[in-house]
């Protein structure tokens, strides 16, 4: 901003300059999105999921008698490799994207991320194991109907491992327990949810 003067030196007006930073701001936001989200599904990526989980778990009370706790759901899309072999990887990517969108719209979930390959991780606040199982059942139900892709229908299912964070437990530990429970679900026939055993109370 600058002041204009007449020949006698008296101020007669001013000149100001405005810079439109809308495009620059949009570019920064786009770069941040690309750095924190999976490019295929648009979900959070693994690093951001782990950061979020660490944040919410550090806020958990240390006492065992709490009204709610963090629930981690490790979700695997059953049979993606045969699907890719049969229909091609482009079709497999479409299935992954559709499943991601369906899971992300489950209301009870705070965060959904693509953890890698055909695996997703969701985080929710729950008051009981029963509520966690109910959420897992809802996630499983969102893909019960065949997916309509390119005029055809593809049937998919989900194997889900459920782990409730214990007081004092680390994010890495609860993720490992949810992951192990997911593999147990796959070993037991897939298309189901298994709840991980709670670890001993931590100091």
């Amino acid at each position: 901003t600058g002041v204009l003067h007449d020949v006698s030196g008296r101020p007669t007006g001013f000149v100001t300059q405005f810079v439109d930073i809308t495009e620059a701001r949009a570019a920064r936001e786009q770069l941040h999105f690309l750095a924190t989200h999976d490019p295929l599904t648009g979900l959070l990526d693994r690093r951001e999921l782990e950061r979020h989980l660490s944040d919410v778990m550090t806020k958990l009370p240390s006492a065992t008698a709490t009204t709610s706790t963090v629930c981690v759901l490790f979700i695997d899309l059953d049979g993606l490799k045969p699907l890719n072999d049969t229909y091609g990887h482009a079709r497999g990517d479409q299935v992954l994207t559709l499943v991601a969108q369906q899971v992300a719209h489950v209301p009870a979930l705070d965060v959904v991320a693509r953890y890698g390959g055909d695996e997703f991780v969701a985080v929710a606040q729950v008051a009981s194991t029963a509520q966690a199982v109910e959420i897992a059942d809802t996630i499983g139900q969102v893909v019960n109907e065949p997916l309509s892709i390119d005029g055809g229908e593809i049937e998919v299912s989900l194997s889900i491992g459920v782990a409730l964070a214990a007081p004092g437990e680390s994010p890495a530990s609860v993720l490992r327990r949810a992951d192990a429970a997911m593999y147990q679900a796959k070993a037991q026939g897939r298309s189901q949810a298994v709840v991980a055993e709670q670890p001993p109370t931590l100091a």
Side-chain angles (χ1 to χ4, degrees):
T1 300
V3 180
L4 300 177
H5 301 82
D6 61 16
V7 292
S8 64
R10 291 180 302 179
T12 59
F14 69 92
V15 176
T16 189
Q17 182 179 17
F18 296 95
V19 178
D20 187 352
I21 62 170
T22 302
E23 290 187 6
R25 181 184 294 114
R28 286 197 302 270
E29 291 174 352
Q30 179 67 9
L31 286 173
H32 177 73
F33 183 89
L34 293 174
T36 57
H37 289 71
D38 171 58
L40 175 64
T41 63
L43 299 178
L44 289 181
D45 62 19
R46 179 172 182 163
R47 183 178 61 180
E48 283 301 300
L49 178 278
E50 291 174 344
R51 182 178 299 165
H52 172 82
L53 185 59
S54 178
D55 287 344
V56 296
M57 288 186 65
T58 55
K59 299 173 184 176
L60 284 177
S62 58
T64 57
T66 59
T67 57
S68 67
T69 189
V70 173
C71 170
V72 172
L73 302 106
F74 216 108
I75 306 161
D76 183 84
L77 178 59
D78 295 325
L80 182 62
K81 185 181 186 304
L83 190 153
N84 284 333
D85 292 342
T86 302
Y87 298 101
H89 286 273
R91 187 70 63 86
D93 286 349
Q94 287 181 287
V95 171
L96 274 171
T97 301
L98 282 175
V99 170
Q101 292 172 351
Q102 291 175 326
V103 173
H105 282 87
V106 174
L109 301 177
D110 297 330
V111 165
V112 181
R114 186 182 182 195
Y115 206 65
D118 56 358
E119 295 176 338
F120 305 95
V121 172
V123 179
Q125 296 280 338
V126 298
S128 64
T129 300
Q131 185 182 3
V133 171
E134 183 179 343
I135 293 172
D137 288 344
T138 300
I139 294 172
Q141 289 168 7
V142 301
V143 296
N144 269 355
E145 297 296 327
L147 299 177
S148 179
I149 297 178
D150 294 339
E153 291 188 339
I154 297 177
E155 294 187 359
V156 298
S157 64
L158 303 177
S159 294
I160 304 173
V162 182
L164 276 65
E169 187 176 16
S170 69
S173 173
V174 70
L175 278 168
R176 282 195 301 269
R177 290 195 298 110
D179 188 22
M182 181 272 290
Y183 277 104
Q184 187 179 346
K186 295 181 79 68
Q188 292 178 184
R190 303 183 178 185
S191 189
Q192 60 185 288
V194 169
V195 179
E197 293 185 4
Q198 287 295 94
T201 302
L202 303 174

